[in-house]
Amino acid sequence: MDGALALLGEHGEDATLLAGGHSLLPVMKLRLAAPELVIDIGKLAELQYIRVDGDEVAIGAGTRHRAVEASDVLATECPLLPAVARTVGDPQVRHRGTIGGSLAHADPASDLPAAVLALGGTVVLRSPRGERQVPITGFYTGVFSSVKEPDELIVEIRVPRTGGAGWAYEKFTRRANDWAIVGVAAVDGRVGLVNMGSTPLRASQTEAALADGASIEEAAALADERTEPPADLAATADYRRHLARVLTRRALTTAANG
């Protein structure tokens, strides 16, 4: 990893990282990215782990989606993450893609960023200048953009040990392996939204209503408040708002009964 960090420090914005490749290669094929240097970190074993650390579970950024899906540690300590990882793409994608790559790509239509957001997780970044921890709530700044600097590498994701807290993930797609038209991750009174704005979002109005004692139906009706869902070939903005309310109600009901 030190070699990768040194190359990032030397080349900065002219370099990019390759782990699973499912984010980088498509944008390169579309000529939306043309890095002068590609740094392959896919075989860095030191970035591939899942372990309990105090009140949190620490997940190496190079951990494959399949490893997250199959982790006994996560199944016990943070079961939302394996359930969400299970919905990512198909088995071929899950055996190559990494959780760090998913978070770094900053796609608001991606599953795992919203799940980590609902969990209130933390992103650990490292560069030649040192290491810093950024709460996921302050990590994303826009479509495909975050506070990660060009010379920084996501090395770890930390999530609370939710244990027996109720959780659920609801995802609406046209086909099983598609990106979510809308997705909702719910755990312990927190709700993360997929594809409801330029970044992964928390349903803040729903969370506040739940904290004030509102019913699930009342709180879910507020899920699309303060969101700006896109309109595209898959759905109109109004349809996405409808889906956010319906899926939030389903997720909260499942979590409450879990």
Side-chain angles (χ1 to χ4, degrees), residues 17 43 45 54 59 65 76 95 98 107 121-122 141-142 150 170 190 199 205 212 245 248:
L17 297 165
K43 294 184 179 181
I59 307 169
H65 300 319
T76 300
H95 277 82
T98 66
D107 187 342
T122 301
T141 58
E170 293 285 341
R190 296 182 298 272
T199 68
Q205 297 299 96
D212 289 339
R245 296 190 294 268
T248 297

Side-chain angles (χ1 to χ4, degrees), residues 11-248:
H11 295 276
E13 294 182 354
D14 294 328
T16 193
L17 297 165
L18 173 69
H22 291 291
S23 301
L24 176 62
L25 296 182
V27 297
M28 290 180 67
K29 288 179 179 179
L30 293 171
R31 302 295 190 268
L32 297 176
E36 294 185 6
L37 179 67
V38 176
I39 304 168
D40 187 353
I41 60 171
K43 294 184 179 181
L44 290 181
E46 60 198 297
L47 293 179
Q48 300 176 27
Y49 58 85
I50 300 172
R51 56 176 176 250
V52 172
D53 186 2
D55 293 333
E56 297 178 310
V57 179
I59 307 169
T63 303
R64 309 288 178 184
H65 300 319
R66 172 55 186 162
V68 173
E69 176 187 1
S71 169
D72 291 335
V73 171
L74 287 172
T76 300
E77 305 292 349
C78 188
L80 173 65
L81 275 185
V84 174
R86 199 169 295 121
T87 74
V88 175
D90 54 30
Q92 187 176 19
V93 168
R94 294 196 293 274
H95 277 82
R96 291 291 301 169
T98 66
I99 186 170
S102 182
L103 268 63
H105 189 48
D107 187 342
S110 185
D111 303 282
L112 285 166
V116 176
L117 189 63
L119 287 162
T122 301
V123 180
V124 182
L125 299 161
R126 191 175 299 168
S127 74
R129 295 173 283 110
E131 185 174 289
R132 63 178 177 137
Q133 296 190 14
V134 180
I136 191 72
T137 51
F139 185 68
Y140 295 110
T141 58
V143 179
F144 304 129
S145 61
S146 69
V147 299
K148 187 177 77 68
E149 298 291 342
D151 65 343
E152 286 185 311
L153 167 67
I154 297 178
V155 294
E156 188 175 83
I157 296 92
R158 304 182 69 86
V159 293
R161 296 170 63 185
T162 56
W167 61 272
Y169 186 60
E170 293 285 341
K171 178 178 180 178
F172 188 83
T173 62
R174 291 189 297 177
R175 298 173 302 181
N177 295 332
D178 283 349
W179 295 98
I181 295 176
V182 173
V184 176
V187 58
D188 202 19
R190 296 182 298 272
V191 180
L193 301 175
V194 179
N195 221 357
M196 287 296 292
S198 60
T199 68
L201 298 172
R202 288 267 288 271
S204 58
Q205 297 299 96
T206 292
E207 293 177 353
L210 289 172
D212 289 339
S215 68
I216 287 175
E217 290 74 14
E218 292 168 335
L222 304 174
D224 65 314
E225 295 290 330
R226 300 184 182 178
T227 67
E228 296 182 0
D232 52 31
L233 294 175
T236 64
D238 285 343
Y239 186 53
R240 281 195 165 92
R241 290 184 181 278
H242 166 73
L243 285 174
R245 296 190 294 268
V246 171
L247 297 181
T248 297

